[in-house]
């Protein structure tokens, strides 16, 4: 038999590809998680922020005398006072040429630029005392004209929010590939449409939270923070508070969801840390649900004019888009609010083999809450525009939407392939995914059922949406633009004397299953039972430096680091085992915590016995042999700017043409996320993403009036998807591992969100086809469906 080491997938008792329980599930189900609000420190204070009721207003005077005299109040702090402790920031990246923004302070200095911006902080012994005192802070306002509508924000007579910037244009990108003018001129058919995507937010179960503890005796700051990127926050707290980075520690305990909401710098959280430094006492901030609606970042507010050119035979010749998006009064720091529009430009038409493309994106300032990255950044917008145009073109040509896609999707044997935005695709599987989807849903039978029901006045629709997804980003995403956001991650694996393996990783646990994935990879790489693996995440003083959790990078980046660290530790263990057993290390293996003969599998030595000797009786080992049972390895994806995944979704739904209500009947998603480490986690990530996308498609929208007031900023008025409204979601997979890593894992966290709005839109429009009606503005509410049917009039603009 060969003594060649087995691959990670072929090893006996491999956990790769197996569903195993999440290590933290039992603790959370028992209600024993530790969230920020569960932590209490000696001498701890609570902060509540006084927020602007106006979208745009000058702060003329703040009278805090009554508030300061109230019981328990320690301080009432205004922007100028806090600015002596913490410096402002500007959300720009150098590779996004022309991106601009004004300096943003932790607490507004002289103006409030959106409803909800903090203008003072009330710090008290209890949260209730701080809330009572905040009501007694009197602010004299001079209300200013507000730039609310992004469509007119660049008009010559529009209010300029930051006069020093000259206008309200934050960023513009234009891209031309091929010869789109010639393609449109030669086309047999040109169809166009204007799409709108509704502004919405994350609604995490745990709101944003921070507990900052400044220790003046040591000059150190410890921040317990519900964040996705602890090392990024460590750097920025140090930078803006004037501290050494080594003197700032960020700790993430259990986190109740994030979805990209908790990967940004928020003014009120920076203010909390600054208050701890100013007052030299621990300060806790917990956003309540109402202020979350006006301060958690929003996303997806776009108007996109799109065109597609096709030949008589049904070949896509060109796409063209004009995207405008409003981002609030500042570009969010440090990832910037231009990334979403930039992604839209990069992703439009992505799955298809056309050769001509023109795109323009304009990112504009407005007096609304700030906008930035949220789950599947830009993907649902690009997918809805692309797939909406594809369906409309197929309809106008009289072609089946499946056959139109089959004709135009990039062939599975065409890779590597470079998209028209210049991004390389390593290995995608659009046709294999389409074939699998059609088999799962029994497409022909559904079409027959649809036709029969239509005769009886029951209007059902079938929709499709192909998608690509950006995962495993390299430094080309942020590092190249000067942001200290790491694209690499590390894992430190330690063998303890009892045979337990402890893994510390820079990837954070947000509820998505990081601890399970790292445990599975480490257990397999080292060769131990998964019950013997402990995983530590989210502590800048303990874990290796890394980027944290964003852009579906946890398994692909963090998992690969864990694999390489585990392999190195195993090799070190076998060297010591060889010395103890007087055997060549290459003739041994480590399986389920036992040193065995590699060829026969016969047990030679228990791992805990090896640990005992190495740690407590090293004198019995040969001279010169020093056991190295703590190993750190890092991994960064360098082969491509991103590792793309792909997939396709389908929706079957019913539209009540009398009420406009949509009933979701069945949803399918086939995804290619490379190597699947934990099938159940992957499937539930996809399902969760689909549900979030369905929320955007049918329910969620932050609605503002013409004065910039959020009119539905509570759970009474802001609709989210509920379990009873969700369909059965069937998930399938095609597997094309990335060759940029040994593990071969791509991302899976955002695929469901990327395609769900598009597929629901296409299914609704398929149901409305007999009425020559279409909906293209998300969310697709009953009112908008009835307007499309001509049964109610649209509200006056």
């Amino acid at each position: 038999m060969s003594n060649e080491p087995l691959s990670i997938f072929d090893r006996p008792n491999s956990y790769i590809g197996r569903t195993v329980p999440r290590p933290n599930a039992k603790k959370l189900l028992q209600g024993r998680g530790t969230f920020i609000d569960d932590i209490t420190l000696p001498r701890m204070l609570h902060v509540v922020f006084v927020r602007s009721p106006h979208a745009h207003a000058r702060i003329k005077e703040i009278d805090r005398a009554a508030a300061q005299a109230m019981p328990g109040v320690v301080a009432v702090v205004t922007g100028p006072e806090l600015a002596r402790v913490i410096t402002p920031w500007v959300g720009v990246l150098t590779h996004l040429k022309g991106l601009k923004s004004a300096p943003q302070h932790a607490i507004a200095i002289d103006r409030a630029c959106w409803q909800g911006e903090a203008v003072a902080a009330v710090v008290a012994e209890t949260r209730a005392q701080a809330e009572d005192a905040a009501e007694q802070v009197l602010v004299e306002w001079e209300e200013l004209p507000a730039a609310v509508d992004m469509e007119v924000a660049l008009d010559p007579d529009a209010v300029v929010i930051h006069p020093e910037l000259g206008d309200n244009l934050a960023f513009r990108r234009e891209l031309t590939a091929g010869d789109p003018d010639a393609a449109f001129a030669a086309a047999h058919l040109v169809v166009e449409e204007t799409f709108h995507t509704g502004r919405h937010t994350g609604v995490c179960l745990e709101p944003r939270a921070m507990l900052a503890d400044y220790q003046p005796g040591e000059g150190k700051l410890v921040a317990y923070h519900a964040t996705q990127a602890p090392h990024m926050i460590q750097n920025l707290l140090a930078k803006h508070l004037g501290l050494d980075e080594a003197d700032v520690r960020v700790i993430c305990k259990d986190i109740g969801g994030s979805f990209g909401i908790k990967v940004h710098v928020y003014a009120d959280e920076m203010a909390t840390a600054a208050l701890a430094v100013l007052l030299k006492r621990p300060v806790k901030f917990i956003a309540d649900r109402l202020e979350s609606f006006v301060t958690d970042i929003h996303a997806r507010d776009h108007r996109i004019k799109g065109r597609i050119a096709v030949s008589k035979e049904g070949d896509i010749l060109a796409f063209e888009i004009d995207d405008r998006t409003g981002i609030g009064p500042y570009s969010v720091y440090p990832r910037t609010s231009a990334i979403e529009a930039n992604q839209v430009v990069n992703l439009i038409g992505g799955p298809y083999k056309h050769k001509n493309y023109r795109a323009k994106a304009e990112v504009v300032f407005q007096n609304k809450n700030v906008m930035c990255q949220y789950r599947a950044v830009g993907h649902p917008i690009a997918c809805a525009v692309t797939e909406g145009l594809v369906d409309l073109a197929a309809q106008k040509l009289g072609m089946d939407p499946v056959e139109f896609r089959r004709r135009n999707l990039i062939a599975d044997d065409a890779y590597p392939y470079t998209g028209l935005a210049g991004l390389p695709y390593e290995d995608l599987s659009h046709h294999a995914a389409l074939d699998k989807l059609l088999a799962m849903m029994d497409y022909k039978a559904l079409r027959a059922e649809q036709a029969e029901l239509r005769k009886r006045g029951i209007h059902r629709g079938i929709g499709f949406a192909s998608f690509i997804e950006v995962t495993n980003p390299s430094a080309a995403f942020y590092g190249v633009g000067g942001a200290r956001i790491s694209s690499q991650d590390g894992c430190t694996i330690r063998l303890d004397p009892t045979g337990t393996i402890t893994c510390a990783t820079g990837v954070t646990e947000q509820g998505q299953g990081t601890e399970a994935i790292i445990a599975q990879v480490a257990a397999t790489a080292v060769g131990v039972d998964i019950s013997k693996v402990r995983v530590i995440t989210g502590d800048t003083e303990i874990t290796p430096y890394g980027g944290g959790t964003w852009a579906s990078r946890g398994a692909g980046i963090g998992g690969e680091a864990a694999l390489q660290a585990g392999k190195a530790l195993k090799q070190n263990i076998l060297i010591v085992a060889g010395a103890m057993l007087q055997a060549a290390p290459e003739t041994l293996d480590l399986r389920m915590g036992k040193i065995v003969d590699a060829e026969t599998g016969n047990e030679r030595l228990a791992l805990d016995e090896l640990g005992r000797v190495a740690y407590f009786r090293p004198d019995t080992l040969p001279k010169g042999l020093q056991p190295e049972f703590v190993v750190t390895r890092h991994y960064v994806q360098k082969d491509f700017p991103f590792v793309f995944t792909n997939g396709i979704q389908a929706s079957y739904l019913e539209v009540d043409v009398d009420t406009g209500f949509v009933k979701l009947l069945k949803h399918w998603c086939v995804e290619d996320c490379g190597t699947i480490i934990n099938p159940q986690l992957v499937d539930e990530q996809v399902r969760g993403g689909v549900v979030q996308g369905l929320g955007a498609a049918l329910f969620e929208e932050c609605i503002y009036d013409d004065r910039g007031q959020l009119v539905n900023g509570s759970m009474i008025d802001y609709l989210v998807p509920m379990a009873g409204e969700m369909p059965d979601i069937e998930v399938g997979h095609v597997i094309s591992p990335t060759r940029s890593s040994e593990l071969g894992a791509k991302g899976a966290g955002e695929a469901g969100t990327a395609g769900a709005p598009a597929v629901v839109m296409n299914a609704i429009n398929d149901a409305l086809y007999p009425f020559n009606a279409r909906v293209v503005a998300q969310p697709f509410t009953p009112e908008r469906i009835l307007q499309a049917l001509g049964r109610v009039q649209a509200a006056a603009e």
Side-chain angles (χ1 to χ4, degrees):
M1 293 180 65
S2 172
N3 285 332
E4 288 294 316
L6 295 174
S7 77
I8 187 71
F9 309 104
D10 298 328
R11 291 177 185 173
N13 306 115
S14 171
Y15 287 98
I16 306 300
R18 290 170 56 183
T19 292
V20 300
R22 294 168 57 172
N24 59 349
K26 186 179 292 186
K27 172 189 72 175
L28 295 174
L29 287 171
Q30 292 175 347
R32 296 182 179 273
T34 303
F35 300 90
I36 302 300
D37 206 26
D38 295 319
I39 304 171
T40 300
L41 299 178
R43 302 177 66 247
M44 186 177 76
L45 302 172
H46 298 258
V47 61
V48 169
F49 292 96
V50 178
R51 300 185 181 274
S52 171
H54 304 291
H56 197 197
R58 194 176 314 281
I59 306 166
K60 297 187 69 176
E61 185 178 357
I62 298 178
D63 182 352
R64 46 188 165 171
Q68 287 177 320
M70 293 186 68
V73 174
V74 174
V76 180
V77 181
T78 62
E81 294 166 324
L82 204 63
R84 301 188 194 112
V85 178
I86 187 167
T87 59
W89 51 87
V90 180
V92 296
L93 291 170
T94 58
H95 68 301
L96 298 179
K97 302 299 183 184
L99 174 61
K100 63 190 181 187
S101 187
Q104 185 179 2
H105 287 268
I107 295 178
I109 299 292
D110 58 358
R111 281 186 307 146
C113 291
W114 83 89
Q115 177 208 5
E117 185 170 13
V119 299
V122 179
V123 187
E125 299 287 349
T126 70
R127 172 68 180 250
Q129 289 171 333
E131 288 182 345
D132 289 344
E135 294 180 358
Q136 301 304 313
V137 176
L138 301 178
V139 183
E140 183 181 348
W141 299 99
E142 178 190 343
E143 191 170 359
L144 301 172
V148 177
D149 186 350
M150 67 180 180
E151 290 284 36
V152 300
L154 299 182
D155 289 355
D157 59 348
V159 175
V160 178
I161 299 173
H162 304 292
E164 67 274 21
L165 299 181
D167 56 30
N168 290 325
L169 180 65
F171 177 68
R172 176 185 282 122
R173 181 185 176 193
E174 296 183 2
L175 170 68
T176 299
D179 190 348
D181 289 333
F184 278 101
H188 170 72
L189 175 69
V190 175
V191 295
E192 56 186 70
E193 188 63 89
T194 299
F195 301 86
H196 294 267
T197 57
R199 173 186 272 247
H200 56 276
T201 189
V203 197
C204 305
L205 282 176
E206 180 196 23
R208 293 187 298 106
M210 174 185 273
L211 170 54
D213 180 17
Y214 182 65
Q215 300 160 359
E218 302 177 57
K220 292 187 176 182
L221 174 69
V222 179
Y224 300 89
H225 195 195
T227 181
Q228 297 170 232
H231 283 101
M232 180 194 83
I233 295 297
Q234 176 193 35
N235 167 256
L236 296 176
L237 287 173
K239 176 179 179 179
H240 293 284
L241 289 168
L243 301 171
D244 289 337
E245 192 165 327
D247 288 333
V248 177
R249 180 182 183 184
V250 178
I251 302 172
C252 302
K253 307 298 282 187
D254 295 305
I255 295 178
S258 53
F259 317 123
I261 294 293
K262 297 173 182 173
V263 77
H264 309 288
V265 165
Y266 286 91
D268 45 23
E269 294 172 1
M270 297 293 276
T272 300
L275 288 165
V277 173
L278 180 69
L279 301 174
K280 298 179 174 54
R281 291 178 63 176
V283 179
K284 179 186 281 188
F285 165 64
I286 308 290
D288 67 29
R289 186 60 65 190
L290 295 179
E291 64 185 333
S292 290
F293 273 108
V294 294
T295 58
D296 288 3
I297 63 109
H298 293 174
R300 315 277 206 249
D301 192 6
H302 291 250
R303 181 275 297 145
I304 314 99
K305 298 176 181 177
R307 294 201 299 162
I308 186 173
V310 296
S311 72
K312 185 176 182 179
E313 295 75 21
D315 295 316
I316 298 175
L317 304 177
F319 281 96
E320 181 177 35
I321 64 127
D322 179 344
D323 177 23
R324 179 170 288 193
T325 179
I327 60 166
Y330 300 100
S331 173
V332 175
Y333 185 65
R335 295 167 186 268
T336 85
S337 301
I339 289 292
E340 185 170 85
N342 198 59
Q343 287 277 72
V344 170
V345 171
N346 286 339
L347 298 172
I348 290 282
Y352 298 101
K353 57 185 179 182
H354 59 292
K355 299 298 183 183
N356 306 285
Y357 179 44
R358 178 184 289 120
K360 180 178 77 171
E362 293 178 319
V363 178
V364 299
F365 295 119
Q366 57 186 168
N367 292 114
K368 294 181 179 178
N369 186 22
V370 291
M371 293 242 300
C372 208
Q373 291 95 310
Y374 170 56
R375 191 175 192 172
V377 183
H379 293 67
I381 301 150
C383 188
V385 173
T386 299
E387 295 300 303
L389 291 172
V390 163
D391 252 32
L392 185 56
Q395 182 191 110
K396 296 294 185 183
L397 285 175
M399 289 184 67
D400 183 277
V402 168
E403 294 312 311
F404 188 82
R405 285 174 172 82
R406 196 188 303 278
R407 184 180 184 92
N408 287 285
L409 287 167
I410 301 168
D412 290 356
D413 61 359
Y415 298 94
Y417 187 97
T418 301
L420 293 186
L423 296 177
Y425 307 147
E426 176 195 10
D427 194 9
L428 304 181
S429 54
H430 292 296
H431 289 270
L434 175 59
D435 290 342
K436 181 152 193 170
L437 178 81
L438 295 175
M440 288 167 57
M441 65 188 293
D442 196 355
Y443 179 52
K444 291 183 178 179
L446 281 183
R447 281 295 184 200
E449 179 180 87
Q450 178 193 39
E452 184 60 33
L453 290 172
R454 204 169 261 176
K455 297 175 185 177
R456 294 158 44 190
I458 298 173
H459 297 280
R460 292 186 175 180
I462 304 169
F464 295 90
S466 296
F467 62 87
I468 56 176
E469 180 197 352
V470 171
T471 75
N472 295 9
S474 72
F477 213 147
Y478 295 116
V480 70
R484 293 174 69 89
I485 300 170
S486 181
S487 57
Q488 63 93 56
D489 236 291
C491 184
T492 298
I493 298 188
R494 180 183 76 230
L495 171 66
D496 294 328
T498 60
T500 296
I501 303 297
T502 300
C503 303
T505 177
V507 179
T508 54
E509 171 68 66
Q510 309 286 316
Q512 81 280 36
T514 291
E515 292 183 16
I517 293 299
I518 299 300
Q520 285 180 255
V521 173
T524 302
V526 177
V528 298
D529 189 283
I530 196 169
S531 65
K532 289 290 189 178
V533 179
R534 303 290 180 268
V535 179
I536 299 171
T537 70
D539 188 333
T540 59
E541 196 161 279
I542 297 174
T543 62
Y545 203 100
T549 294
W550 48 276
S552 298
R553 68 186 299 277
I557 304 294
E560 182 68 16
L563 171 62
Q564 299 306 327
K567 288 174 60 180
L569 176 60
K570 178 179 181 178
Q571 187 59 37
N572 291 352
I573 290 171
L574 293 181
I575 290 172
V576 175
M580 292 175 64
L581 297 171
Q582 299 184 15
E586 59 269 20
T587 67
L588 303 173
D589 198 6
L590 177 54
R591 301 175 187 171
M592 300 302 285
K594 307 291 184 183
I595 307 297
V596 301
D597 182 89
E599 187 169 339
T600 67
N602 292 334
E603 182 181 336
R604 302 286 301 277
L605 180 68
L607 187 58
D608 57 354
E609 175 61 14
L610 180 144
R612 183 192 68 81
V613 171
Y615 281 105
F616 306 122
R617 291 301 310 276
D619 58 300
T620 63
L621 298 176
K623 283 188 176 182
L625 178 61
Q626 175 61 54
E628 295 290 348
F629 289 163
V630 180
V631 175
T632 299
R633 291 292 183 272
H634 290 81
Y635 173 72
V636 63
Q637 198 279 120
K638 292 184 177 180
D639 293 344
F640 304 94
F642 316 96
V643 172
F644 279 90
T645 72
N646 72 276
I648 187 168
Q649 295 187 33
S651 174
Y652 188 45
L653 53 76
E654 184 175 311
V655 178
D656 186 326
V657 296
D658 293 320
T659 66
F661 278 88
V662 174
K663 183 177 182 180
L664 301 170
L665 302 173
K666 189 70 181 284
H667 200 105
W668 298 266
C669 181
V670 174
E671 192 208 15
D672 185 344
C673 63
T675 300
I676 296 174
I677 300 171
N678 186 315
Q680 185 180 66
L681 276 180
V682 170
D683 286 359
E684 296 314 313
Q685 277 285 294
V686 171
R687 287 192 179 95
V690 166
V691 168
Q692 216 151 5
L694 293 176
L698 295 174
F699 306 108
E700 297 185 55
E701 184 175 23
C702 297
I703 302 171
Y704 284 81
D705 66 17
D706 57 7
R707 294 179 59 197
Q709 297 289 308
L710 181 63
V711 300
N712 65 332
S714 75
M715 294 303 290
I716 296 175
D717 302 307
Y718 183 92
L719 301 181
V720 295
M722 306 292 283
E725 297 153 345
M726 293 297 99
D728 182 35
I729 302 169
E730 189 174 342
V731 180
H733 298 280
V734 175
I735 300 176
S736 304
T738 176
R739 291 181 292 277
S740 65
S741 69
E742 184 178 346
L743 187 60
K746 304 176 183 178
E750 300 171 295
T753 309
V759 75
V760 167
M761 176 181 69
N762 285 342
I764 292 173
N765 289 333
D766 185 51
L768 298 180
Y769 176 72
F771 302 93
N772 193 30
R774 289 174 53 78
V775 289
V776 288
Q778 297 178 40
F780 309 114
T781 60
E783 180 183 19
R784 286 173 173 159
I785 290 172
L786 292 177
Q787 288 170 1
L789 289 165
R791 303 197 175 184
V792 300
Q793 290 188 343
E797 294 294 332

